[in-house]
Amino acid sequence: MKLYVISNPEKCSGCRICELVCSIKKEGVSNPSKGRIKIARIYPGFDMATACRFCEDPPCVLLCPRDALKKGKNGMIGLYKEKCDGCGICVEACEFGAITMHPDEKMPIFCDLCGDDPECIKYCPENALEIASAEKIAQRARISTFKKYLESIPE
Amino acid sequence: MGSQRNYYSYGYTGRILRVNLEDKAAKGEEIKEELRRKYLGGRGLAVKYLYDETPPGIDPLGEDNKLIFMTGPLTGAVPTGGFCYIAAKSPLTNIIGGSLMGGNFGAELKFAGYDGMIIEKKAEKPVYIFLDDGLVKFFDASHMCGLGVHETEEMIKDEIGDYDLKVACIGPAGEKTVRFASIVAESVHSSGRTGMGAVSGSKNLKGIAIRGTKDVPVFNPEGLLREIEKTAKRRNVFQAALSAYGTSAFLSLSARMGAFPVRNHIRSEGYHFDEEEIFSSIIKKDACFACPIGCIKVSRIPSGRYEGELSSSFGYDALSSLGGLCGCFDTGFLMKAHNMCNELGMDEISAGAVISFAMECSERGLKFGDDERAVEFGNCASEIDLLGDIANREGIGDLLADGVKKAAEKISYGSEKYAMHVKGLEIPGYDPRKMKKTALSISTSNIGADHMSSSSFLLELGFSLPISSYQGMDDEKNTPMIVKELEDWLAMTDSLVICRFYGVSIDKSQISSYLSLVTGIELTLKELEGIGERIWNLERIYNLREGLRGREDDALPDRFFPDDEEKKKFDMQIDEYYRIRGWNDEGIPKEEKIKELL
């Protein structure tokens, strides 16, 4: 089953510690613009983080005019840096906004799960981040809805 | 790689941005290494610039005042490192004004390439500034006049076409130079006391938007990650209380001490709030840059006329100043009043205090000109109307917009007796009669009656803080030393710049660890305490230069001394406080102390 970093908007506080530690881990500097995970915030305080979801048929790979992006065997997106010239169409193509341009290299950056042990999850103070599959979230929903039904049955 | 004592390579950018609103010009400028060695950044550096660059006696709402936004060595790199310190001469108190601003604005300023921003002169017409990764642009803001802070932020983001901008702006209150107007970051982080918003309004500066994508180089990235991990997922009692309930958690604590003041501090008592209603109105939490606590609560107004409306950062200040002081105990109304203070852009502590002053004057038969409206304790609806009038300087709002001290001076007829302030800053919602450390703290804080300068009220509420060496020792003898130590330490953390709630609740050693991991600068706890003491004394000297009368102004209104015995005890604490600080009997730093520090 395909795993990726999922953020729970009911728990996310929008603190951006995930953005911060991602940039320190991946780039050795404090710079959330270089983080591979990004939050979105809606006034007056609703938040959620987004990282690459390793789509089956990624629009970013599809639309790259130079075939600089590929979907690897492990499901993750890979970049051929020598082919990329920073046009940004991959950034536009992603409906989740999970890809952004590296401010210095001017090439796309996206989550790679830090190999297999994502750093961000270790720091989230609200435990809003987890590495999971969509199916796991669906299982939870089935169980919790069923639980609610059971609890509502009169004795 | 840079030597350990090189202040330029890591953490700091080494530059501030000087903005001249009259010429619509901006220039980068190097910060002298000696200044950063002595003052670190943030509050210390901001006050130093203000002291050095403004002559005595300037009009705080005039062109010569400088509005300074300053970050510190930890900004952008540690939990709560999104703060910046805002300083200027205060239009409310005529002495040093300053306030921390939370959220992400400070971090973004550093990511844009600057440690700080000094705003000078006055724009001919309302403008907003856009700092775009080092490049400064000025935009006309005339069409934004009268807009609330959120409306302003949305409009700026639309016009520039970037929704990740960090915006700090003023509302109608700042535009009308209400003397306790605030500057609000990202629509919800209100900064706060002493009228920095009025200074911005006097300069025709409607707002500042920043976008930054530059690095903050870190001396030891691996070490920093490990250090951050220590407090990321663990909370002590204090942090857990804030995390769950925000500052509303303090309500039952101050009430059970009988320290929750009502009706303009006439007395204090228990409270009449439905705590359950307050807590269950919380939907989720919101947090500042990398903060593991998350004290901001996003709530939904649970009942009444404004039911269903959303609110951010409702807490103790609204409950006590807009609530208790005004005799208003309706949660729904108070959340609306809090929202209004946020959106209009004014300090809710001062706003509540000035309205409660008006309420007491009214009940004692003092008239405010022709305004026939009912201004009485407990009249929640009229309180809401008054907030709008104050922000727009309409009717008696125009009088109250100058703060209790000036309002009382105008009204006279003995109303000065009912003006609850120290040095012109209105007293917050903790009863100094019951909380002795707070009494000393609000009397000695350099910005006026500010309980956060030492945050000693947290000790009195019963929290154990890692940064105070006096744990569980409650005799009054230690009060001056406790307050002094906290004041110095927080003056230093305000210069790093981190949040006070985070700063008081983590070990002192972690602060020095953060500093060395981010910047490579090694400072002992003694050295850090010394820097805090230096900053405190610089503020004191600035104040004395601006006409502070020393001991006479380190005082509480007579209302808080029911008898001579209490007054004597308080005077003895002030004596001891001065002695510890190395000041003379009048509260003026002695020659040796000045030589030692400055």
Side-chain angles (χ1 to χ4, degrees), chain A residues 11 48 51-52 62 64 82 90 104 128 134:
Chain A
K11 292 184 179 173
M48 190 178 96
C52 180
L62 205 66
C64 177
E82 64 278 9
C90 51
D104 300 337

Side-chain angles (χ1 to χ4, degrees), chain B residues 272-273 277 303-304 314 323 327-335 380:
Chain B
H272 311 280
F273 289 106
E277 187 185 41
S303 53
F314 180 74
C328 189
F329 300 98
D330 183 317
T331 303
F333 265 109
L334 290 182
M335 286 173 74
C380 299

Side-chain angles (χ1 to χ4, degrees), chain B residues 78-225:
Chain B
V78 304
T80 77
F83 273 68
C84 70
Y85 198 82
I86 307 179
K89 185 172 178 182
S90 167
L92 183 62
T93 61
N94 279 299
I95 52 175
I96 191 77
S99 187
L100 285 163
M101 187 163 71
N104 298 273
F105 187 84
E108 202 74 11
L109 176 55
K110 188 178 270 189
F111 298 141
Y114 294 103
D115 288 331
M117 218 173 0
I118 300 183
I119 316 277
E120 300 174 339
K121 295 288 159 198
K122 172 182 176 164
E124 196 190 358
K125 286 200 295 235
V127 294
Y128 70 86
I129 295 171
F130 175 32
L131 172 57
D132 184 8
D133 252 340
L135 231 76
V136 178
K137 298 176 196 147
F138 297 86
F139 289 98
D140 178 40
S142 315
H143 56 297
M144 295 175 178
C145 288
L147 293 186
V149 300
H150 180 59
E151 295 170 307
T152 304
E153 180 181 345
E154 291 298 287
M155 194 170 274
I156 290 177
K157 283 177 168 172
D158 266 336
E159 286 184 6
I160 295 176
D162 185 337
Y163 301 101
D164 272 346
L165 293 177
K166 303 297 176 270
V167 177
C169 62
I170 60 175
E175 293 170 37
K176 290 271 157 68
T177 63
V178 171
R179 289 181 190 269
F180 43 88
S182 59
I183 297 179
V184 183
E186 302 157 83
S187 300
V188 298
H189 304 286
S190 182
S191 164
R193 310 214 67 196
T194 70
M196 299 294 97
V199 177
S200 190
S202 73
K203 294 184 175 306
N204 268 333
L205 179 63
K206 178 66 172 160
I208 302 172
I210 307 184
R211 185 78 164 109
T213 65
K214 297 184 209 270
D215 297 339
V216 174
V218 173
F219 185 73
N220 182 346
E222 270 306 307
L224 180 61
L225 282 179

Side-chain angles (χ1 to χ4, degrees), chain A residues 106-126:
Chain A
K106 306 282 192 268
M107 289 190 195
I109 50 175
F110 35 81
C111 177
D112 65 354
L113 298 181
C114 294
D116 61 354
D117 188 25
E119 194 73 14
C120 52
I121 294 171
K122 302 173 190 164
Y123 297 82
C124 177
E126 299 304 315

Side-chain angles (χ1 to χ4, degrees), chain B residues 319-385:
Chain B
L319 289 163
S320 58
S321 297
L322 295 171
L325 289 187
C326 298
C328 189
F329 300 98
D330 183 317
T331 303
F333 265 109
L334 290 182
M335 286 173 74
K336 177 65 178 174
H338 164 81
N339 283 357
M340 284 180 68
C341 286
N342 251 13
E343 189 61 12
L344 295 166
M346 54 190 189
D347 172 24
E348 63 189 351
I349 296 177
S350 291
V354 90
I355 290 176
S356 75
F357 161 77
M359 287 170 168
E360 180 168 1
C361 287
S362 178
E363 295 217 338
R364 292 184 188 272
L366 293 170
K367 287 223 132 262
F368 307 102
D370 299 321
D371 204 310
E372 286 304 325
R373 172 223 328 253
V375 179
E376 66 220 341
F377 287 121
N379 191 332
C380 299
S382 81
E383 182 184 344
I384 295 219
D385 287 340

Side-chain angles (χ1 to χ4, degrees), chain A residues 83-113:
Chain A
K83 289 187 184 176
C84 173
D85 77 346
C87 72
I89 202 133
C90 51
V91 177
E92 292 171 36
C94 178
E95 292 128 321
F96 301 96
I99 305 181
T100 51
M101 294 298 264
H102 192 285
D104 300 337
E105 292 169 15
K106 306 282 192 268
M107 289 190 195
I109 50 175
F110 35 81
C111 177
D112 65 354
L113 298 181

